[in-house]
Amino acid sequence: MFGTIFWGALLLVIAFIVGIQAVPAVSIDPTVLLIGAVVALGCLLVVAGVAAALRRPRR
């Protein structure tokens, strides 16, 4: 499950970067974009971890 989330998020980030670069009127600093992507992926992983922990049956 982790691999699916990771690769899906990575592909979304790459698609977003390509889409931003295709619009010439928009200029975004790549460093800020990378930091935002890392923060978003971290939040996604935390949410996925909490969801997996809540789905696990208690012993």
Side-chain angles (χ1 to χ4, degrees):
M1 180 172 187
F2 170 75
T4 304
I5 294 171
F6 175 77
W7 289 112
L10 184 65
L11 288 174
L12 283 174
V13 168
I14 292 171
F16 182 73
I17 291 171
V18 170
I20 288 294
Q21 290 179 348
V23 180
V26 178
S27 65
I28 295 179
D29 184 22
T31 305
V32 174
L33 186 63
L34 182 63
I35 291 171
V38 169
V39 169
L41 283 173
C43 292
L44 180 67
L45 289 174
V46 168
V47 168
V50 169
L54 290 176
R55 288 183 19 182
R56 179 177 295 163
R58 307 236 173 188
R59 294 181 185 187

